[in-house]
Each structure stands twice: as C-alpha cells, then as structure tokens.
Amino acid sequence: NDLKEVNTIFQYIQHYSRYTKDPWGVELLHSPEVSLRLIREDGFAALDCDDYTVLGLSLVKVLGYKVALKVVSTQSNRKFHHVYGLVNVYDQWYPFDAIRREKPLGWESERITRQAVMKI
C-alpha cells in the first residue's frame, strides 16, 4: 500500500525529530544524510521546516514518488514563512508537513493567505 508506505516515513520523521528555529540571522540547511546521522547517533534531529521538507521529500522521492515543494503564508501580510512537501500517491497530492506531531499526513492549515508550488 503506497499511502501506508509514505505515512510510515512521515511518522518516522515526526517521531525522531523535533522542530527548532535556525539561529537568528543564519539559514542552516541539513542534508538528508546529516539529519539521518543525527537521528542514528543522538536518537533525534532538531530540524526547521526546510530540513523537515528536504528529509521527507528525499526519502519518498528515492522510492519513486513524485514530490513538490509548497511555500505558504498564513499571515495577513502574505509574506512566505513556511515550506513543506507534497507527495503524489495514486494521482493525488498529499501535504507532507511533519513539524506538528499531532497532525497527520495530508493535513495543512486552512489559514493559507498565499502559496506557491514547485514540482521537483
């Protein structure tokens, strides 16, 4: 079951990582290899939204799924401030935003004021 396979990866990332912001004024990017090494060595990885996205989309893309990036704003000023993935399973795009542990695969905010999608 493809959806179950994608969801297993989604839950793995949720379980073995926690959200953290980058240091002020610095944009840090973790490669999938670095994130997986942190999980293996430390038991978890501290990631921000772009790190979650790079890790999640890399893992599902290597299994053959089509993926895309989605950048959004949920603010009234409409400035982009969050990024997450989209994964195509059975010709349907599922949001892949693992930063909130209580939210399932397929969840996304209803308060989006601006968005852009880039298939990769």
Side-chain angles (χ1 to χ4, degrees):
N1 180 313
D2 291 348
L3 193 53
K4 192 172 189 178
E5 182 175 56
V6 170
N7 193 51
T8 298
I9 293 168
F10 182 83
Q11 290 177 344
Y12 174 86
I13 293 169
Q14 282 184 316
H15 184 76
Y16 289 104
S17 59
R18 67 175 174 79
Y19 178 77
T20 188
K21 293 181 180 181
D22 284 335
W24 188 82
V26 177
E27 178 60 38
L28 295 177
L29 295 172
H30 290 88
S31 69
E33 294 85 2
V34 168
S35 296
L36 291 171
R37 181 177 48 78
L38 290 170
I39 291 169
R40 186 178 63 252
E41 292 176 1
D42 300 336
F44 77 98
L47 310 172
D48 69 356
C49 63
D50 50 36
D51 299 324
Y52 272 95
T53 302
V54 168
L55 177 58
L57 294 187
S58 296
L59 291 174
V60 297
K61 188 171 177 75
V62 77
L63 295 175
Y65 296 97
K66 294 177 188 173
V67 297
L69 292 171
K70 187 167 186 175
V71 183
V72 300
S73 174
T74 57
Q75 301 170 345
S76 59
N77 66 12
R78 303 184 74 225
K79 286 187 179 181
F80 289 130
H81 62 88
H82 185 53
V83 63
Y84 54 93
L86 299 171
V87 179
N88 190 291
V89 181
Y90 305 126
D91 291 324
Q92 181 176 341
W93 289 97
Y94 289 87
F96 194 104
D97 189 356
I99 68 167
R100 293 188 175 172
R101 289 183 184 216
E102 75 279 5
K103 301 297 184 184
L105 174 68
W107 176 87
E108 65 184 339
S109 175
E110 295 176 3
R111 300 179 301 158
I112 295 172
T113 58
R114 184 177 176 203
Q115 63 185 351
V117 174
M118 181 176 71
K119 294 180 183 172
I120 51 177

